[in-house]
Amino acid sequence: VLDTAITMEIEGERFYRELADNAASQGFKRIFTMLADDEVKHKEKFEALKESGQAQADDYTIVTTNSDFYKSISKANFVEENNQIGVYRKALHLEKKSVTYYKDQMDKVADETAKALLAKIVTEEEHHVALLQELVDYIAKPETWVESAEFGTGREY
């Protein structure tokens, strides 16, 4: 379980670093760098558990959904980024799969320390899912949503 989890986190970090390197705006670059950094932290937690048999249950910064991060992204960059929406959807899909995987492993692991670590990682991966879902929705909205300016109640973009 731990070897698979470590591999998943390494692949996740690589994927997010590639997205950050190819981002057309600093805002997206920052988002994907934070996601990659979180994957590194997850990997380190799993490695520590594997080596010592004990998880480090300390709290550390997690990416949370907050629409304020959109303010740092120039709307002009969305035209350039929009062609990458399939990549963002893939990232969302991968995060959802990792949540499912870690939840399944929680049921199979007897060690309470390992369960606690998995529960913490699940929570953080769920934050990643929420962030990526909001990002995908934000980018796709101009193509998928029709709203009356007179009667619309949606948030401002």
Side-chain angles (χ1 to χ4, degrees):
V1 170
L2 291 174
D3 288 337
T4 301
I6 291 167
T7 300
M8 287 173 58
E9 299 302 327
I10 290 170
E11 290 172 1
E13 179 203 4
R14 188 177 308 131
F15 181 73
Y16 289 126
R17 296 270 183 234
E18 185 176 323
L19 287 178
D21 290 344
N22 294 318
S25 69
Q26 286 302 314
F28 285 128
K29 185 178 187 83
R30 191 178 87 233
I31 292 164
F32 292 124
T33 299
M34 287 189 310
L35 289 168
D37 292 345
D38 276 355
E39 300 300 316
V40 170
K41 291 175 187 176
H42 297 169
K43 177 187 71 102
E44 289 170 355
K45 299 290 184 183
F46 288 131
E47 288 172 340
L49 178 60
K50 185 177 177 182
E51 289 177 22
S52 69
Q54 296 190 355
Q56 299 170 334
D58 59 320
D59 290 328
Y60 50 89
T61 305
I62 56 176
V63 178
T64 58
T65 57
N66 181 350
S67 60
D68 288 343
F69 80 83
Y70 292 122
K71 293 178 181 170
S72 68
I73 302 169
S74 167
K75 292 188 181 198
N77 292 128
F78 281 100
V79 174
E80 296 172 38
E81 295 286 355
N82 199 24
N83 64 0
Q84 296 183 24
I85 195 163
V87 176
Y88 304 143
R89 285 185 175 135
K90 180 181 177 188
L92 177 60
H93 177 72
L94 292 174
E95 289 291 343
K96 287 179 179 179
K97 282 178 66 172
S98 70
V99 167
T100 300
Y101 174 78
Y102 291 135
K103 283 182 177 179
D104 289 345
Q105 297 313 306
M106 284 176 60
D107 295 336
K108 297 175 184 174
V109 174
D111 181 68
E112 291 302 316
T113 304
K115 279 188 182 196
L117 175 61
L118 285 169
K120 185 170 185 66
I121 300 296
V122 164
T123 300
E124 294 190 21
E125 298 293 351
E126 287 172 338
H127 281 92
H128 293 176
V129 167
L131 176 78
L132 287 165
Q133 185 64 60
E134 191 169 338
L135 181 63
V136 166
D137 292 346
Y138 188 72
I139 294 170
K141 189 167 184 172
E143 293 179 1
T144 61
W145 182 256
V146 177
E147 185 172 285
S148 168
E150 183 177 359
F151 300 107
T153 59
R155 66 182 187 201
E156 183 178 325
Y157 284 91

